[in-house]
Amino acid sequence: MTETVYEMSSPGRIGFRFPEPDVPRSDLPAGLTRANLPLPELSELDVVRHFITLSKKNYSVDGGYYPLGSCTMKYNPKINEETARLPGFAFTHPLQPIETTQGSLALMYDLQKNLCEIAGFAGVSLQPAAGAHGELVGVLIIRSYHKSRGDTKRTKILIPDSAHGTNPASSAMSGFEVVPVCTDAKGNVDLDTLRSVCDDTVAGLMLTNPNTLGLFEQNVIDVIKIVHEAGGLIYGDGANMNALLGICRPGDLGIDVMHFNLHKTFSTPHGGGGPGCGPVGVAKNLVEFLPGPIVDITEEGDDETPPLYGWRMPKNSIGRVKAFHGHFGMMVRAATYISMHGPDGLRDIAEMAVLNANYLLAKLRNTYHVPFDRICMHEFVMEGKWADAPDVIALDISKRLMDYNYHPPTNYFPLIVHDALMIEPTETESQQTLDAFADALVKIADEAHTNPELLKTAPHHTPVGRLDEVKAARELVLCCWTPPENP
Ligand SMILES: Cc1ncc(COP(=O)(O)O)c(C=O)c1O
């Protein structure tokens, strides 16, 4: 265990010395000072070492391979960080007069436009702070749309049983009844079930494409048609856009509203709960329902003068969903990433992501069972379970992978695959990395059969061993140090 800063503390040691004041001293107002403030006493070097040591215990994309399915943990180019730190962006205050923030507004306007172009939508709001937040916004837009037409019977949202848990959560939070739709033998939405639940009480369906099995939804056109014919709208969960960039536009397929995960597809860093950015794109008939304000051109420019950008509140807006204008730093990073790649580069990303996933799948499908085994998109799901190694479960395989210095894949999701291991290689990994990872998984499969105990007791080489994950989440203890009573 690393010592806490309090345990490292040594009386009288200091990290910073204030210069002698060149103004007369005066006492602080009474009540603002405390006689006894038990802060640790350390040198600057002690503090630096402490935090560097702690940071080395973190696992990161910059430190190692991170095939966490559905999360698109791709490499974040460092130029994104440079642009996000440019003083003109980093030190802009959202309450500044708009004449002084035209550069930032232009970037947001262009990003809105680019996202519309990439996914085939008529309007985008950049406000939502994450994918799940974008989902909530999208479902609220669907609700407002039906309400604005006096169509108040629509109380249900249909959700395929492979969907991410945030889909039913967003629908339920928006006041809808969630109706699950099962998956067919090929891993697509089951059309017969869908037809049987589609009627005039359906407000919409939330569709993830590629779905969370990593498979392109082969029935997508029929699914959209059936729901539209019943008067419902289609919500697209855009978390998996990395597989579609430059190849297929959800808006062209007929999706009405969709969130983007900038922090997945467009390489802004994520993890540990944020910050993210989950813009929502909509078809033409929903533009006036977007959360606002959104950036618009308030005065056209000409050859000599740039346009003037300002804020516009859509007419039937569901309102503001985030303080100020969202996570602007993430927008700068995503805008940089899109500009650096251009249209052809974005298509390359999707092609390489799909190629890498199929390469890895081909290397593993003879060792691990792949329940819906067909050409995959950017990720695939296999089972971490063998009949002839009954004690080993997916969790054990993931824990053992940590001993090989890999971040585990996503476990136990989607729920329709028992002992699911969901692997998303991403386009930024080399063939050598994929080969080494596949070798590790094949070795672990062998260990599962010859020495299962090795897996059951893994990880063996990490700063902490196997945690009780349920307890760790429910009874989070972040500090095991208690201050002495009389310091
Ligand atoms: C398919 C899918 N939908 C939605 C989300 C939610 O996105 P966020 O984590 O940005 O809230 C995720 C996140 O993992 C996801 O994988």
Side-chain angles (χ1 to χ4, degrees):
M1 268 301 212
T2 309
E3 273 186 312
T4 67
V5 280
Y6 289 96
E7 286 157 332
M8 290 162 61
S9 176
S10 172
R13 189 167 290 166
I14 54 170
F16 185 81
R17 202 187 300 273
F18 286 101
E20 274 306 306
D22 55 3
V23 291
R25 286 173 188 267
S26 67
D27 290 333
L28 284 170
L32 270 190
T33 55
R34 266 189 274 175
N36 188 4
L37 190 59
L39 290 176
E41 295 170 84
L42 303 157
S43 71
E44 182 174 323
L45 178 58
D46 291 336
V47 176
V48 169
R49 287 221 175 112
H50 176 70
F51 285 107
I52 293 294
T53 306
L54 282 184
S55 76
K56 284 195 204 152
K57 293 189 198 298
N58 266 345
Y59 197 90
S60 63
V61 179
D62 288 353
Y65 185 39
Y66 211 132
L68 192 66
S70 207
C71 288
T72 315
M73 301 298 286
K74 61 166 85 174
Y75 173 66
N76 301 299
K78 296 300 165 252
I79 190 163
N80 294 356
E81 300 305 314
E82 278 185 42
T83 52
R85 283 167 178 73
L86 287 173
F89 292 135
F91 299 128
T92 301
H93 193 282
L95 293 182
Q96 269 175 239
I98 53 163
E99 302 76 44
T100 66
T101 60
Q102 285 296 301
S104 299
L105 293 183
L107 180 135
M108 292 173 83
Y109 182 81
D110 288 346
L111 181 58
Q112 288 172 190
K113 282 254 163 255
N114 282 332
L115 292 176
C116 282
E117 178 61 28
I118 288 167
F121 289 118
V124 159
S125 168
L126 300 172
Q127 269 187 22
H133 194 194
E135 288 173 33
L136 178 70
V137 164
V139 178
L140 290 175
I141 289 176
I142 292 177
R143 193 175 78 173
S144 289
Y145 167 78
H146 291 305
K147 204 166 152 205
S148 74
R149 304 166 77 236
D151 196 351
T152 50
K153 273 204 308 269
R154 300 188 178 271
T155 53
K156 296 178 189 159
I157 294 276
L158 311 179
I159 303 188
D161 57 4
S162 57
H164 195 258
T166 47
N167 287 195
S170 305
S171 298
M173 280 178 76
S174 308
F176 286 104
E177 180 191 338
V178 173
V179 179
V181 181
C182 62
T183 300
D184 71 13
K186 286 188 176 164
N188 297 310
V189 170
D190 187 84
L191 290 182
D192 289 337
T193 315
L194 179 63
R195 283 194 193 94
S196 72
V197 291
C198 258
D199 59 22
D200 62 0
T201 63
V202 168
L205 174 136
M206 295 184 87
L207 188 69
T208 311
N209 187 27
N211 64 23
T212 62
L213 294 164
L215 302 175
F216 191 84
E217 177 57 57
Q218 293 165 311
N219 297 332
V220 63
I221 300 296
D222 289 330
V223 170
I224 293 175
K225 193 159 167 258
I226 293 167
V227 175
H228 278 168
E229 278 174 3
L233 296 182
I234 299 285
Y235 182 88
D237 180 328
N240 293 340
M241 265 305 283
N242 214 44
L244 302 184
L245 288 176
I247 296 173
C248 162
R249 305 197 314 165
D252 295 345
L253 294 174
I255 296 213
D256 300 291
V257 44
M258 184 189 97
H259 79 260
F260 300 79
N261 292 70
L262 291 194
H263 49 286
K264 296 182 183 185
T265 315
F266 300 107
S267 90
T268 68
H270 71 300
C277 190
V280 168
V282 290
K284 211 162 156 207
N285 57 339
L286 297 177
V287 170
E288 293 306 320
F289 292 92
L290 281 171
I294 52 179
V295 185
D296 212 343
I297 293 183
T298 50
E299 234 177 87
E300 290 297 339
D302 54 32
D303 290 348
E304 316 264 289
T305 351
L308 188 70
Y309 298 95
W311 297 106
R312 179 179 87 79
M313 198 64 177
K315 262 204 316 284
N316 308 318
S317 175
I318 62 160
R320 185 187 275 281
V321 297
K322 187 82 185 79
F324 298 114
H325 310 300
H327 289 156
F328 178 62
M330 294 297 120
M331 298 170 205
V332 180
R333 290 173 173 89
T336 307
Y337 185 78
I338 292 171
S339 319
M340 292 292 292
H341 283 86
D344 293 343
L346 291 181
R347 190 185 168 102
D348 287 347
I349 288 171
E351 287 180 351
M352 285 306 296
V354 172
L355 184 63
N356 273 0
N358 279 287
Y359 180 76
L360 210 46
L361 174 60
K363 295 202 97 172
L364 292 170
R365 63 157 60 91
N366 291 333
T367 310
Y368 290 81
H369 175 55
V370 180
F372 297 91
D373 194 2
R374 56 176 160 102
I375 300 255
C376 68
M377 298 294 285
H378 64 308
E379 63 191 353
F380 61 93
V381 177
M382 58 186 205
E383 270 176 0
K385 191 107 191 88
W386 300 270
D388 53 355
D391 291 340
V392 172
I393 57 172
L395 183 71
D396 304 322
I397 296 166
S398 286
K399 296 291 183 198
R400 182 69 181 140
L401 265 173
M402 294 160 92
D403 287 336
Y404 286 84
N405 201 24
Y406 293 115
H407 193 284
T410 296
N411 277 219
Y412 300 104
F413 172 67
L415 300 178
I416 55 172
V417 174
H418 285 300
D419 279 276
L421 290 171
M422 183 192 224
I423 299 178
E424 179 174 6
T426 83
E427 72 283 1
T428 55
E429 299 299 331
S430 68
Q431 188 179 355
Q432 286 75 13
T433 303
L434 300 184
D435 286 340
F437 179 66
D439 287 350
L441 273 168
V442 170
K443 260 193 220 136
I444 291 172
D446 183 51
E447 291 169 357
H449 290 85
T450 53
N451 186 2
E453 200 47 30
L454 194 58
L455 275 68
K456 303 291 309 170
T457 49
H460 304 275
H461 309 311
T462 49
V464 283
R466 198 177 283 220
L467 303 173
D468 178 337
E469 294 185 2
V470 177
K471 204 159 176 239
R474 300 252 160 89
E475 290 172 35
L476 193 61
V477 180
L478 290 177
C479 178
C480 49
W481 180 83
T482 39
E485 286 197 354
N486 296 308

